Amino acid sequence: MTAPNFNNYIAATSAPSNIAIVKYWGKKGIQEPVNPSISFTLSKSITKTSISYSQSDRDLSIDFLFEGKSKEAFIPKLKTLRERLINHLPFLKSGSLKIESSNTFPHSSGIASSASSMASIARALYNIQIQIDPDVTANDKQAFISEMARLGSGSACRSTMPGWVLWGETQVLSKSHNKYGISINTYIHPMFNDLQDTILVIRKGAKSVSSSIGHQLMENHPYRDGRIKQANKNTELLLEALKNGDFEAFAKVSEEEALSLHGLMMSSSPAYTLLAPESLRAIKRIIKFREHHHIPLTFTLDAGPNIHLIYPKSQSKIVLPFIEEHLRVLCDNEEVIFDEISLQ
Ligand code: PMV
């Protein structure tokens, strides 16, 4: 009997995080959104992933290392992802898979690491599959990788392409889809192509209520229908604002979405809040500063206390001193992270 010829494969990839302006909040089926969302992909906050895979006929084993250390807590998520992908990526049936990831940004700092992490893992898995069997190619590779990332973490499907991305069906864009993100860069006015995202790290550390719980609490939320309507309307308004270069309309949607997200948490059952007193203090200072200086400056919040300050690069001269003088003091250990939109 000849020994089977088992092979080893490796893939090294990376993917950035993204920040949503219209928020995905609530899911249906297998990680499909109840409403459309729009984000821009960042350029500096990146997860790097390398995967080594050895073929064998034993049931698949998975090892995961994060920044050099074994992270058992992530294994159940990877097992779920494997179950969801096994029909698309047949190599996941057997063998041993070792995944090693690291981030270029600090932990629990208000940058969505699940988005960059799952997007980079989806890219690497796809890469391994085409090395093993180049015939398992997708008609639309971009949509396929985005869909795989979504099956790991919803918002990750927006991290597999640069710049502005729309995920979820909306009647205003016929090619929009619940299963994957689509690039909307061709619709965007140049004013929105160099946006800065400066993250005020108000509180570092793990969130007291995870986003998965938050999504679940939307299932029987008393404002569920209203929220879905609001997100659809805001998607239309944001697309218009992005097309027309209308920063005022953009800021209105951005702030309404950020505050509504937190309002939905406060009106869930059980109710909770992830905001800190300094989050509100920062928001008030930002609004006052904008009113005084009449500049294009806005903010958004993810599911956490940290503030994402959003402004065109041309405003850095006036915004940076404001951050140093009035906002840095509100941050945990005075930590501020400077990122911006990625365009390629
Ligand atoms: O992809 P998830 O399950 O981590 O959910 C992300 C939810 C928000 O970050 C609050 C909004 C969004 O659209 O990114």
Side-chain angles (χ1 to χ4, degrees):
M1 213 170 79
T2 51
N5 181 17
F6 292 135
N7 291 314
N8 299 320
Y9 300 86
I10 48 174
T13 56
S14 65
S17 187
N18 70 76
I19 180 71
I21 301 300
V22 175
K23 310 288 179 183
Y24 147 58
W25 201 235
K27 45 177 123 177
K28 58 184 183 190
I30 301 179
Q31 210 93 287
E32 290 191 25
V34 294
N35 63 262
S37 58
I38 298 178
S39 63
F40 64 86
T41 300
L42 299 177
S43 69
K44 295 181 191 147
S45 304
I46 289 171
T47 298
K48 296 178 182 166
T49 293
S50 64
I51 293 189
S52 58
Y53 170 71
S54 311
Q55 279 181 325
S56 83
D57 44 19
R58 272 180 309 204
D59 241 19
L60 189 81
S61 67
I62 307 177
D63 280 329
F64 180 72
L65 273 82
F66 183 69
E67 294 181 348
K69 287 193 195 123
S70 168
K71 197 172 169 190
E72 287 291 316
F74 206 60
I75 298 287
K77 276 196 185 144
L78 292 171
K79 285 192 171 158
T80 305
L81 181 65
R82 180 239 183 177
E83 288 308 311
R84 291 173 178 172
L85 293 182
I86 208 159
N87 291 333
H88 301 287
L89 307 176
F91 83 91
L92 290 175
K93 287 191 181 110
S94 62
S96 60
L97 194 62
K98 186 174 176 193
I99 304 178
E100 296 185 70
S101 287
S102 61
N103 290 347
T104 60
F105 52 96
H107 306 285
S108 312
S109 55
I111 297 169
S113 59
S114 61
S116 52
S117 157
M118 286 299 181
S120 65
I121 290 173
R123 274 189 182 147
L125 291 174
Y126 179 76
N127 192 315
I128 300 269
Q129 182 63 60
I130 54 171
Q131 289 179 48
I132 296 172
D133 182 359
D135 291 338
V136 185
T137 48
N139 290 340
D140 182 343
K141 181 179 157 190
Q142 178 166 278
F144 185 53
I145 293 177
S146 175
E147 181 170 355
M148 290 198 300
R150 184 200 102 237
L151 292 169
S153 171
S155 57
C157 76
R158 300 186 311 239
S159 267
T160 57
M161 52 204 94
W164 289 95
V165 182
L166 168 86
W167 168 41
E169 282 161 22
T170 160
Q171 56 183 25
V172 287
L173 260 187
S174 58
K175 57 182 181 157
S176 59
H177 214 289
N178 278 345
K179 292 200 188 303
Y180 49 81
I182 59 165
S183 171
I184 51 168
N185 287 327
T186 48
Y187 301 95
I188 309 292
H189 187 278
M191 126 154 268
F192 295 109
N193 279 343
D194 68 359
L195 284 190
Q196 306 296 293
D197 178 11
T198 301
I199 300 118
L200 309 174
V201 185
I202 300 289
R203 286 275 193 287
K204 234 176 148 157
K207 292 182 274 196
S208 54
V209 180
S210 69
S211 288
S212 324
I213 304 280
H215 287 295
Q216 267 172 38
L217 290 173
M218 285 310 290
E219 276 165 34
N220 296 309
H221 198 288
Y223 304 151
R224 179 185 161 92
D225 293 347
R227 164 59 194 158
I228 295 173
K229 237 173 149 176
Q230 179 196 40
N232 275 283
K233 184 81 203 148
N234 279 341
T235 298
E236 286 178 33
L237 292 173
L238 184 61
L239 284 171
E240 273 306 299
L242 290 172
K243 221 189 280 175
N244 298 336
D246 183 345
F247 199 93
E248 216 175 298
F250 169 80
K252 188 167 179 289
V253 172
S254 181
E255 292 168 28
E256 189 176 308
E257 281 288 313
L259 297 175
S260 292
L261 172 70
H262 286 265
L264 289 164
M265 294 177 202
M266 291 182 206
S267 49
S268 291
S269 177
Y272 65 105
T273 185
L274 299 177
L275 294 175
E278 292 84 355
S279 315
L280 294 174
R281 222 165 272 149
I283 289 172
K284 287 190 178 290
R285 286 185 191 179
I286 295 161
I287 293 173
K288 204 168 156 197
F289 183 81
R290 175 179 60 207
E291 277 169 4
H292 188 77
H293 292 275
H294 302 288
I295 55 162
L297 169 70
T298 186
F299 66 88
T300 186
L301 292 150
D302 225 332
N306 304 321
I307 312 279
H308 291 246
L309 255 190
I310 314 280
Y311 50 96
K313 196 175 186 150
S314 59
Q315 301 301 318
S316 299
K317 256 196 196 146
I318 174 158
V319 176
L320 294 182
F322 166 58
I323 294 170
E324 295 308 324
E325 283 162 36
H326 300 285
L327 298 176
R328 199 183 271 281
V329 291
L330 298 174
C331 299
D332 202 346
N333 250 326
E334 304 211 341
E335 185 166 354
V336 175
I337 299 170
F338 296 91
D339 209 330
E340 61 187 341
I341 189 169
S342 72
L343 283 178
Q344 48 186 325

